[in-house]
Amino acid sequence: MLKNKNAIITGSTSGIGFGIAQALAAQGVNIMLNGFGDRAKIEAMRAELGQSFNVKVVYSSADMTRPDEIKTMVDDAIDAFGTVDILINNAGIQHVAMVDEFPIDKWDDIIAINLSSSFHTIRAALPDMKKNGWGRIINIASIHGIAASPFKSAYVAAKHGVVGLTKTVALEVAEQNITVNAICPGYVRTPLVENQIADTAKVRGISPDEVIRDVMMDRQASKKFVEINEVAAFVVFLCGDGAASITGVALPQDGGWSAL
Ligand code: NAD
């Protein structure tokens, strides 16, 4: 049922975002990739994704801190595909520090990329979804959209904000066949988490192995990382007809973290 739908996935040149791009492309969805990285590598990913699944794949280099570039990205997707049916707000960064030592520029970047960019993408893409009478907006929040951890003030604030945005937009479009949900993963081993292991080791004065065992897996009851393909499969489910009545919720995918 998703064949020939069109999706924008922010932050999809790496990690969870690229996994979501692969899973949606496998369903026949045309994809707009977005994110930073080596241009030749991104072009190779773009071309391979299109060839593997016989879908149209385009790339936008829009910086999620820049509202003007976000608007252009959405306009470019509509130009390339005709419509935007699925919007996955996934771009995100992390920084770990005590709140009174938290660099102001890092706070501003995290709020811009992890929270405000979702407002700007939704604002730009929603009129097209309303016109078509169908849409799926999935915000990749985090278990930190529901629970806090020390040293992550900006990230936790941004992700809680994403959950609030999700609920509000869901109510605004509930009668228009547009669902809006947040997925809240526990730890997934991606480049974002690899960097965090080193940073957290420094802040807490412990080894990287201790960070994984005693910090990251402490509340993840399964004691194992969530896999990228599990998050991608959840996205595919939420895009389907079976999820038509699921809207306005923050859905944990956290190995039991939120049950504690
Ligand atoms: P990642 O570092 O592998 O990927 C992040 C992506 O965002 C990359 O494509 C990067 O280029 C892009 N990006 C960063 N800044 C950008 C900007 N200014 N403009 C456009 N793109 C930008 O990280 P990931 O772990 O795959 O994280 C993806 C999302 O999942 C994030 O929102 C993150 O908060 C969330 N998340 C991750 C985990 C985890 O454990 N990895 C857990 C819960 C939620």
Side-chain angles (χ1 to χ4, degrees), residues 10-18 34-37 61-65 89-93 113-114 140-144 155 159 183-193 195-196 225 228:
T10 70
S12 48
T13 53
S14 169
I16 294 169
F18 189 61
N34 159 257
F36 296 155
S61 62
D63 181 340
M64 292 299 111
T65 65
N89 286 308
N90 167 80
I93 59 167
I113 297 166
N114 296 21
I140 306 302
S142 163
I143 190 58
H144 286 113
Y155 189 86
K159 295 296 188 180
I183 295 180
C184 299
Y187 282 105
V188 187
R189 198 152 191 174
T190 65
L192 179 141
V193 162
N195 295 334
Q196 222 184 110
F225 285 99
I228 289 174

Side-chain angles (χ1 to χ4, degrees), residues 155-190:
Y155 189 86
V156 170
K159 295 296 188 180
H160 275 66
V162 166
V163 169
L165 177 68
T166 301
K167 292 179 183 177
T168 305
V169 180
L171 293 177
E172 290 178 7
V173 296
E175 293 181 42
Q176 291 166 278
N177 284 329
I178 302 169
T179 67
V180 190
N181 292 293
I183 295 180
C184 299
Y187 282 105
V188 187
R189 198 152 191 174
T190 65

